[in-house]
Amino acid sequence: MQNFASLWTRSVIFLLGLGWITHLSTAQDTTVISLPTITVEATRQLETYSTAARSIFVRDHDMVQSEPGLSLQRALRGLPGIQITERGHFALGERILVRGMGYRAAFGVRGLQAFLNGVPLTMPDGQSMLDIVDPVFIGRSELLRGPSSLFWGNASGGVLHLANGKDSSPLRVRYMTGSYGLSHALVSSSLKIGVHNLTAYASRVEKTGYRAHSKGDFLRAGITTQSILRPHTTILFTVNSAFQDVLSPGSLTLEQLDMNRKQADARNERQSAGKESIHVQSGVTLLTRTPLGHLTATAYGIRRSLDNPLSFAWIDLERIVGGIYAQLQNDLNSVLSLTAGLDLRTMSDDRIRWNNESGRPGQRLLLDQKENVESLSLFAGLSTRFSSRWGITGGLRLDRMHFQMTDALLSNGDQSGDRNFTAMSPSIGVYYQSSSLTWYSNVGTAFETPTTTELINSPTGQGGFNTDLDPQTTIGMETGVRGLIKSINLDIDVSVYLLRIQDRLLPQQAEDGRTWYFNRGKNRHYGVEIALEWPAGQPFRIHSLYQYGSFSFLNGRDEGLQLPGVPAHQAHLTLHGSSSNGWTSQIVLEAASKMWGNNTNTVQSDGFMVIDVYLSRSDWRLATVTVNPFVRIQNILNSQYVRSLVVNAFGGRYFEPAEGRSFQIGLGINL
C-alpha cells in the first residue's frame, strides 16, 4: 500500500504540472450541461441509464479521429470495475476481469458476457473471444458490473456491450506507424440509401513486437446496416471478420525477466508457438412494436478456424456457433412492466491435437474428438415504479446446458461422455432518483460452467471430460449512486459491492505448459469503485477513477490468501483539454498495486505507474479534404513493469512484461 500511495502521489504531482500546461493552451467554456437520456442494452429491458437498478457505466468513443486505438485496454481504461491486462502481443488476447471474476483465464476471457453489435462474443460454454473487435472503431461501450446471469446466463460475472461507431464520413482513410515495427492502415465508409444506413470498415495492423517471437499480423473487416422499415420497426444487420497470424513469446521467470525482459520463452521459440485463425460472425436483429409489447429478436452465426501450435502440442480447431435470443417487454400500465425472453445457443467443435515437432504437426495423434454444447434458457423480469422517483426490478432465469463429447481416438479407449448443468438465477434491485442522481441497490446471482477447453484438460492429460470439475456460483450485493451533481457540474459513479463465490474454478499449469483446472472452496470479493469527471463535458476536464478490491480465499489452509493476478488498488487519471480550433490533448496516468502470482501468495509482481500523452487535431480543412493528425507517446517515463501474470504457472514462469516507451504517429483523411 505504501509503494502504491507513493507512486500515486508522485504521479499526480507530475500530471498536474503537465495539466496546467494543457490548460493554458486550451479554451474553456464553463456552461453547465445536462446529461441526455441514455437507453442501455446490457439489461435486456427498455431501461435508461437513470432507472437501471444496478451499476452500469456507459461511454461514447471517437478514437478513429484522434487515437491509435490498438487495444481494448487503451479503449476501455477508466471504466469502473474492470481490469484489462494488455500483454504487448496479440497471441493470447487481453485478460479482462470484472471485480476479480474470470481471473483464471490464460487465454480468452472468462466470467464476462461480451457482445459486438448485438452478436455474442461469448460462446455457449462461457469462453469469450474478443480478437474480432477492432478497438479503433468502437463507438459505444456499456459495462454492467456484478453477477448478471438473470440477463445473459452462463459466465455473467459482468456484461460488456460494444458497438461500432456511426461514422458519418463518406470515406475515411488513415495510416499510423510507430515503435516496435508498428504499421496500421484502415479505411471506412458510411452511406445512406433510402431507408438504409450502411457503414463498412477494414483495417490491418502489423507489429514486430517489443519482445522476441511476438510478431503479429491482424486483418479485420465489417459491415453494419440499419434499415427503418416503418416508424416502429427497425432491422439491424452486421457481419464482422478477423484474420490473424501471430507468434506467442510466452511468459518468463523472475530471473529471465531481470536478465532480459524482451526475450521469449525458449520452448515457445523452439516450437514456433502462436496461432493462425479465421473468425467470421454475423447477426440480424429485429426491433418492433407489437400488440403484445416491444419485441427484440436476434439470430446469429459464428465460424472460427484455428491452427494453434503450442509448446506442448499442435491444436487444430473448427468451431461453428449459432443461436437466437429474444425478449418481449409489455408495459402493462404506467407503473408496471413485464419482460420475458428465450435464449437458445449451440456450439460444435472439431478438435484435433498432435505433438508439436519444431513448429509442425507431428506424427503422433494425441486427441481427436467432437464437442457439442447446447443451452436453452427462459427468463422473466418485472419492473414496478411506485412513484416518479423510485421503483423495484426483479426477475428469475432458468438455464439448462448439455455438454457432449464424442471420442474418435479409440486406441486408448473410448473417452466419450457428457455433462449436464442446470442453474436458477434470481435477482432483485431497487432504485431512487433524487434530482439528477440515481441511488440503487441490488442482489444478483451468477453461475459459471467450465468451458469445453477446461473440461478436456484433465490432470492426467487424457481425452474426455474431467468429471471432477463443477460450475462455480456467485451471489453478489451492491449499492451505489451515479449521475450529475449539477451545482458543481460533477459527474459521479460510486459503488460498493460484496461477492461470495462457491466452488471457485482454479488453474494449475503442468511442466509442459498445459493448464488444467479444479474447484477449490469459497472466495469473498468486496470493494469500492469511485469514478469522477469534472467539470463534466467541458473542453478542459479531469476524469479520475480509484477502485479497491479484496479478493480472498475463505477455505482451509488458504484462509485469508488473496487471489493471484488481481491488484487490490487501481487508479486512473485523465487530463483532457481541447481548443476551439480543433486541437485536443490528453495526459493519462494508470497505476496499480502489486499482484500475487500464485494461490499460495509466495510470488508477486511490483506495482506500477504509467503515463501516456496524446495530441491530435480534428476537422482541419485542407482544400477539399479534412485531415486528422495525431501522435501518442506511451509510457513516457519508460517504466519497466509487468501488467499481466500467468497465474499458478509451472516453474515460476509467471511474468509477461509490458512494453517500454513507444511512439505512434498517424494521419487520417476524410473526404
Side-chain angles (χ1 to χ4, degrees), residues 375-449:
S375 68
L376 174 63
S377 311
L378 302 170
F379 76 93
L382 190 66
S383 176
T384 302
R385 289 184 68 96
F386 291 100
S387 72
S388 60
R389 289 188 176 272
W390 76 283
I392 294 178
T393 64
L396 184 67
R397 180 186 178 100
L398 174 65
D399 285 90
R400 172 72 173 175
M401 303 189 64
H402 178 63
F403 288 68
Q404 184 181 43
M405 191 277 286
T406 303
D407 190 2
L409 179 63
L410 303 179
S411 58
N412 59 349
D414 189 351
Q415 308 293 331
S416 301
D418 60 354
R419 299 288 306 273
N420 292 301
F421 303 110
T422 302
M424 192 79 74
S425 304
S427 180
I428 189 169
V430 60
Y431 69 89
Y432 176 78
Q433 294 175 283
S434 62
S435 183
S436 56
L437 295 176
T438 299
W439 304 79
Y440 61 87
S441 186
N442 67 76
V443 178
T445 57
F447 75 99
E448 187 172 349
T449 68

Side-chain angles (χ1 to χ4, degrees), residues 273-290:
K275 67 180 177 182
E276 295 182 32
S277 69
I278 300 174
H279 187 126
V280 180
Q281 64 183 49
S282 63
V284 59
T285 299
L286 171 68
L287 301 97
T288 187
R289 183 180 297 174
T290 73

Side-chain angles (χ1 to χ4, degrees), residues 154-168:
N154 186 23
S156 297
V159 182
L160 178 63
H161 262 265
L162 303 173
N164 290 135
K166 299 177 181 179
D167 192 349
S168 59

Side-chain angles (χ1 to χ4, degrees), residues 520-590:
R520 177 175 289 177
K522 303 176 183 179
N523 289 98
R524 179 182 62 205
H525 298 190
Y526 65 86
V528 59
E529 300 150 355
I530 304 171
L532 307 172
E533 183 177 296
W534 179 83
Q538 297 305 304
F540 180 80
R541 60 186 181 273
I542 300 174
H543 172 76
S544 61
L545 167 68
Y546 170 74
Q547 50 196 38
Y548 166 77
S550 174
F551 313 99
S552 57
F553 294 100
L554 297 179
N555 50 291
R557 66 181 186 276
D558 298 331
E559 184 81 28
L561 295 176
Q562 296 296 301
L563 238 61
V566 191
H569 304 271
Q570 295 181 78
H572 172 97
L573 185 66
T574 296
L575 304 182
H576 177 98
S578 60
S579 64
S580 58
N581 61 0
W583 285 103
T584 299
S585 60
Q586 286 188 37
I587 305 163
V588 182
L589 177 145
E590 288 183 285

